[in-house]
């Protein structure tokens, strides 16, 4: 056989063997399905060791009252629910959210362990509704979160004239925003009781104080805060009273 056509013990010509290299240099193509499976396995392994607790103003499950007063579950609305839809469909975890109406309040009152397993198809999540006095929630959401924080973080205030930081702002911080955040933190700590260190995923400007509050009781928890609106410059944050912005920053850090 001519020297250029020699075969190795595996039957491949030597030239082919040289082109293939040692095998360590070869790259096996990774398909989209393979990547998805790898991510799925990574999540499964992680959540076996550390339970996941998600917290947001709105949850993935909402209860409405039917004509006869019966509870009717529906998929929750909102961008966060859509973004985490793959988690909701494939993994068991707890989602802590505000009770948005009388249906949520009744559903939460009918369970003993604090968690409601979703009855909806393609949902493996369990909901834990935070129930606070309606007046407290009104101050939290309709006075502090949306008219103040949302506009501030979008840099929509005219700093020479607005916002008007008066006694209402101080009151809603003390008797609305702070106690609602504390109620969330208490619910998260209760869900994590007697278990391994959880992964706590807190969402958006409604719950800036929750990480710091949870950290006091769950020092080993992995806390991740995801903010879905712009983070403005220091100049904009200075429109808030110093004690408010200090508490927000201390909690997030």
């Amino acid at each position: 056989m001519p020297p250029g056509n020699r075969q190795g013990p595996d039957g491949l010509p030597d030239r082919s063997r040289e082109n293939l290299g040692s095998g360590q240099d070869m790259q096996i193509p990774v398909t989209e399905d393979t990547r998805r499976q790898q991510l799925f396995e990574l999540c499964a392994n992680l959540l076996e060791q550390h339970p996941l607790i998600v917290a947001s103003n709105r949850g993935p499950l909402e209860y409405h009252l039917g004509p006869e007063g019966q509870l009717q579950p529906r998929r929750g609305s909102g961008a966060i629910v859509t973004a985490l839809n793959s988690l909701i469909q494939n993994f068991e975890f707890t989602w802590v959210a505000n009770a948005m109406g009388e249906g949520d309040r009744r559903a939460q009152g009918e369970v003993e362990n604090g968690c409601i397993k979703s009855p909806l198809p393609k949902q493996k999540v369990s909901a834990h509704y935070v129930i606070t006095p309606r007046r407290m929630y009104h101050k939290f959401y309709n006075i502090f979160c949306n008219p103040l924080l949302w506009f501030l973080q979008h840099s929509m205030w005219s700093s020479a004239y607005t916002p008007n930081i008066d006694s209402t702002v101080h009151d809603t911080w003390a008797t609305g925003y702070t106690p609602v955040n504390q109620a969330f933190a208490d619910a998260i700590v209760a869900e994590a009781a007697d278990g391994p260190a959880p992964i706590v995923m807190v969402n958006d400007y409604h719950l800036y104080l929750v990480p710091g509050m949870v950290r006091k009781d769950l020092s080993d928890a992995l806390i991740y805060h995801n903010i879905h609106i712009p983070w403005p410059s220091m100049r904009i944050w200075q429109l808030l009273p110093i004690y408010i912005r200090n508490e927000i920053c201390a909690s997030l850090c």
Side-chain angles (χ1 to χ4, degrees), residues 182 185-186 188-190 192 211-221:
Q182 185 64 63
D186 292 343
I188 292 169
V189 171
M213 293 171 171
V214 170
R215 200 178 297 120
K216 292 178 181 178
D217 292 308
L218 300 175
S219 58
D220 56 349

Side-chain angles (χ1 to χ4, degrees), residues 2-19:
N5 292 330
R6 291 178 187 163
Q7 291 183 340
D10 53 7
L12 288 174
D14 284 347
R15 292 195 307 274
S16 298
R17 187 192 314 282
E18 292 171 359
N19 292 336

Side-chain angles (χ1 to χ4, degrees), residues 144 165-174 178 209 240-250:
F144 197 89
I165 304 298
D166 57 10
S167 60
T168 299
V169 171
H170 295 282
D171 174 68
T172 54
W173 171 264
T178 299
L209 300 184
L240 289 178
I242 187 170
Y243 77 94
I244 291 180
R245 63 176 186 264
N246 282 352
E247 285 192 47
I248 290 174
C249 291

